[in-house]
Amino acid sequence: MTKRKRVLSLVMAALMLLALTPAGSELRPTAYAVTQDDIDSLKGDAKDLASQRAEVKSELAALQSERAGIMEQKRLIDQQIDLTEKEIENTESQIAGYEVLLSQTAYELEENQKAEEAQYELFCRRARAMEEAGTSSYWSVLFKAESFSDLLSRLSDIQEVMDYDQSVLDDLRKLKAQIKAKQEEQEELKAGQEAAKVTLEEKKEDLATQRTAAEALIQELNSEVAEYEADLKEIQAAEDALQREIAKKEEELARQLNWSASVGGYIWPEAKSKRITSPMGTRNIHYPGASTNHKGVDIGGVGYDTNVLATKSGVVMTSAYHKSYGNYVVIFHGTGNTTLYAHMSSRKVKEGDRVNQGDVIGVTGCTGVSSGPHLHYEITENGVRVDPLNYLPGYIKAW
């Protein structure tokens, strides 16, 4: 008997023994029908099973070197997509900045032009006045002086008038120079904005190319791998049974300690689509790496830019990249109660963050093992995955 078989036998024996343990309706205050040690023991067996499953998966991965290479390419493309999206955000911010500067420059140019018109009108009035009076008018003013002191006073007045006329002309020249500089600045800003728009389109084309390449890589994984399937199914069945037993014992312990469980109360994990493209449970797949025993549901029609929402308040337990899930987030809502969101193009939260129901935690995408943009969504209650469709009112069946 192999080590893996021995572990399975021991676990199944432990399950049978615990199943035979009487629940006990009359319990002493300090003696419970189920103890934390029972649960800890089961969890220890669960770890053994998880270790065995990891060993089988490792052996299976050894047979898939080519697939592993493709998945590594997919991971790198996902990183490239993430960086390109950030470049697009940066370029869009530049364009928005140019819009503000152009608006400000247009306003300043308009004010300068108004000032120029007013100054030019003033200059024209002064020129007409001088033409009507003639240049001799200044001398006639001086000749009318009745004394030497009166002459000096009149001479000072004439100098002030001449200085004022010159200042009008100087101000007009300055305004014309300012208008020309503003027009040149405006043209430079427009050129910069147009260049940013061209860059934006190029980045969007790059992003589309990268996403196409990512989806093409997934299609390359269309090869059947049958090695160790029986062992994997056997371990998975024992692990599932163990998880059910753990949940049962935790429930019993919670009742004995007068704990209340809080389940339900979820909202949709996004607000764009109601299309469920793949339900929870057994399914046929067309690319290896994706689970045949679907642990949650897939929501389609979300594209690459839909906000992913926390369906319930809690604490971010995991925010990471996984070769299968891609960018994914797990939120803890209380003992045995979590939600998981996967294949996102980007994550907006980190481990330890507290989130409220409806907070944005990421953006939908196609990272990890995914043949197209969608959101994978899971719910765990009492330590067991439950069907999210029970909490997704109005969903549209699209599988």
Side-chain angles (χ1 to χ4, degrees):
M1 184 181 291
T2 65
K3 179 182 177 183
R4 186 161 53 251
K5 300 295 184 183
R6 284 199 300 272
V7 171
L8 285 172
S9 299
L10 289 172
V11 170
M12 296 311 293
L15 287 172
M16 291 177 63
L17 181 61
L18 285 167
L20 294 173
T21 302
S25 58
E26 297 178 359
L27 299 173
R28 293 190 298 274
T30 57
Y32 299 116
V34 179
T35 68
Q36 187 62 47
D37 287 340
D38 294 332
I39 294 173
D40 290 343
S41 177
L42 284 171
K43 287 183 175 179
D45 292 337
K47 287 183 179 178
D48 289 338
L49 276 174
S51 176
Q52 291 298 314
R53 179 159 51 85
E55 181 183 339
V56 174
K57 285 188 174 180
S58 177
E59 292 169 353
L60 185 60
L63 302 175
Q64 300 174 315
S65 58
E66 182 179 353
R67 175 182 175 275
I70 292 175
M71 289 307 300
E72 176 62 15
Q73 291 181 50
K74 177 63 164 60
R75 184 187 69 81
L76 293 174
I77 289 177
D78 286 343
Q79 289 183 350
Q80 188 179 29
I81 287 173
D82 182 60
L83 291 172
T84 303
E85 287 179 334
K86 289 176 180 176
E87 287 180 328
I88 287 174
E89 289 178 5
N90 178 274
T91 306
E92 288 174 339
S93 297
Q94 290 182 41
I95 292 173
Y98 277 123
E99 286 291 345
V100 173
L101 288 175
L102 279 169
S103 177
Q104 179 181 339
T105 304
Y107 172 78
E108 292 173 353
L109 181 59
E110 182 180 0
E111 290 299 306
N112 284 342
Q113 288 172 335
K114 288 179 180 178
E116 181 198 27
E117 290 175 4
Q119 194 69 15
Y120 182 70
E121 178 61 28
L122 177 60
F123 174 76
C124 289
R125 287 201 303 270
R126 294 295 305 166
R128 283 195 296 271
M130 291 174 64
E131 182 180 3
E132 291 172 358
T135 54
S136 60
S137 60
Y138 291 120
W139 295 107
S140 63
V141 170
L142 293 177
F143 290 147
K144 291 179 181 179
E146 297 178 354
S147 64
F148 184 68
S149 60
D150 185 26
L151 175 65
L152 293 178
S153 175
R154 289 171 180 266
L155 184 61
S156 176
D157 291 340
I158 290 174
Q159 185 62 46
E160 288 180 6
V161 171
M162 294 177 67
D163 289 344
Y164 175 73
D165 289 340
Q166 186 61 44
S167 70
V168 169
L169 187 58
D170 290 342
D171 288 345
L172 183 59
R173 287 170 178 161
K174 287 178 183 178
L175 283 170
K176 285 185 176 292
Q178 288 176 3
I179 289 172
K180 182 179 179 182
K182 283 294 177 186
Q183 288 173 334
E184 291 174 353
E185 180 182 353
Q186 190 178 52
E187 291 304 314
E188 289 177 3
L189 287 172
K190 286 180 179 178
Q193 185 184 48
E194 289 305 313
K197 287 180 178 179
V198 171
T199 301
L200 178 61
E201 291 306 312
E202 291 173 351
K203 293 299 178 186
K204 286 182 177 179
E205 289 177 5
D206 289 344
L207 182 60
T209 301
Q210 291 161 10
R211 284 174 172 164
T212 300
E215 293 174 12
L217 278 177
I218 290 298
Q219 299 305 323
E220 288 183 29
L221 300 180
N222 294 336
S223 60
E224 298 276 335
V225 180
E227 292 289 336
Y228 301 101
E229 266 190 0
D231 282 348
L232 278 174
K233 287 180 180 178
E234 191 174 356
I235 291 174
Q236 187 67 60
E239 192 175 23
D240 290 345
L242 190 58
Q243 291 297 333
R244 288 194 295 271
E245 191 62 28
I246 290 172
K248 179 181 175 182
K249 297 301 181 183
E250 285 184 335
E251 205 172 284
E252 177 64 24
L253 183 59
R255 281 197 295 270
Q256 291 169 173
L257 298 175
N258 293 321
W259 288 351
S260 59
S262 174
V263 298
Y266 309 96
I267 62 172
W268 271 79
E270 47 74 45
K272 182 177 181 179
S273 174
K274 299 279 188 179
R275 295 179 65 247
I276 304 299
T277 57
S278 185
M280 184 177 179
T282 304
R283 62 176 182 170
N284 293 321
I285 57 171
H286 303 290
Y287 49 93
S291 174
T292 55
N293 183 20
H294 204 209
K295 301 300 191 298
V297 297
D298 291 341
I299 303 174
V302 293
Y304 293 96
D305 57 0
T306 299
N307 285 335
V308 179
L309 311 176
T311 58
K312 194 175 180 180
S313 297
V315 177
V316 177
M317 191 165 66
T318 305
S319 177
Y321 180 90
H322 185 271
K323 65 179 181 180
S324 178
Y325 277 140
N327 284 314
Y328 79 107
V329 168
V330 179
I331 301 177
F332 175 77
H333 308 291
T335 304
N337 185 198
T338 61
T339 51
L340 180 147
Y341 317 75
H343 304 305
M344 295 184 289
S345 62
S346 62
R347 293 171 277 116
K348 304 298 183 183
V349 291
K350 61 183 182 302
E351 292 182 13
D353 284 352
R354 290 184 177 271
V355 294
N356 295 318
Q357 187 178 58
D359 283 354
V360 175
I361 61 172
V363 178
T364 55
C366 184
T367 56
V369 179
S370 172
S371 61
H374 71 282
L375 176 65
H376 176 81
Y377 176 56
E378 298 179 13
I379 299 177
T380 299
E381 292 180 344
N382 297 320
V384 178
R385 288 186 180 92
V386 298
D387 191 350
L389 292 184
N390 295 332
Y391 301 105
L392 296 175
Y395 74 85
I396 300 171
K397 182 177 179 180
W399 70 86

